[in-house]
């Protein structure tokens, strides 16, 4: 069993689960149909706050998250996630844009991989990153959810 806690709630996009490390830092957001890690089930104060902010985001009342996060990654992957966090609500960036912004313009495929491994989807808005070739690209929650999140943000702007 992993250290920390996990709890699930029904949201506007289905059942979402949130985990935290036992010290109040959010470590994961698991979208509907995700496999959950073996953790103690408990709705902690940090998890409750995360669900409150996720619900506010999904209902159009929140554009940015203010949660203590534990990314669980370092180096290139962390740099990518930190850059993705800077994408304004309702806007999109290409994987190439993220690679250029972090000073590694040829690493756009690695940026895609880092986005795909994002442990905190929605909170770290990797749904706002799309391929240069057109379309919306892949998403850990599925392309229909990615489209839904992008459409949701556009409708709120």
């Amino acid at each position: 069993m992993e250290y920390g806690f996990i709890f699930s709630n029904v949201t506007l996009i289905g059942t979402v689960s949130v985990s935290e490390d036992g010290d109040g830092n959010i470590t994961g957001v698991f979208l509907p149909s995700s496999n959950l890690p073996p953790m103690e089930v408990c709705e902690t104060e940090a998890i409750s706050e995360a669900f409150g902010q996720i619900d506010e985001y999904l209902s159009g009342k929140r554009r940015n998250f203010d949660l203590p996060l534990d990314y669980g990654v370092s180096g290139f992957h962390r740099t990518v996630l930190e850059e993705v966090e800077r994408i304004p609500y309702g806007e999109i960036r290409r994987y190439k844009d993220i690679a250029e912004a972090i000073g590694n313009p040829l690493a756009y495929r690695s940026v895609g991989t880092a986005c795909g491994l994002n442990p905190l989807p929605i909170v770290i808005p990797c749904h706002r990153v799309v391929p240069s070739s057109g379309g919306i690209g892949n998403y850990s929650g599925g392309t229909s959810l990615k489209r839904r999140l992008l459409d949701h943000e556009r409708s709120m702007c």
Side-chain angles (χ1 to χ4, degrees), residues 46-110:
I47 289 173
S48 181
E49 177 63 25
F51 275 122
Q53 290 189 28
I54 290 169
D55 285 341
E56 289 171 355
Y57 165 79
L58 292 172
S59 65
K61 297 175 186 168
R62 173 175 291 275
R63 292 180 176 221
N64 299 299
F65 291 89
D66 183 22
L67 297 167
L69 304 177
D70 179 348
Y71 296 78
V73 296
S74 59
F76 178 83
H77 192 155
R78 173 118 182 196
T79 301
V80 168
L81 296 181
E82 288 172 344
E83 186 62 30
V84 169
E85 276 188 291
R86 291 183 191 66
I87 302 172
Y89 182 93
E91 295 185 20
I92 59 170
R93 298 290 185 272
R94 298 171 302 161
Y95 297 110
K96 181 181 177 183
D97 297 331
I98 302 299
E100 289 171 353
I102 64 171
N104 201 341
L106 299 178
Y108 53 91
R109 287 186 180 163
S110 296

Side-chain angles (χ1 to χ4, degrees), residues 2-6 18-28 39-40 42 44 46-47 68-72 120:
E2 290 188 28
Y3 176 69
F5 305 100
I6 192 164
V18 174
S19 63
E20 69 117 310
D21 62 5
D23 292 322
N25 301 301
I26 301 302
T27 58
M39 300 176 84
E40 183 176 340
C42 180
T44 65
I47 289 173
L69 304 177
D70 179 348
Y71 296 78
L120 300 155

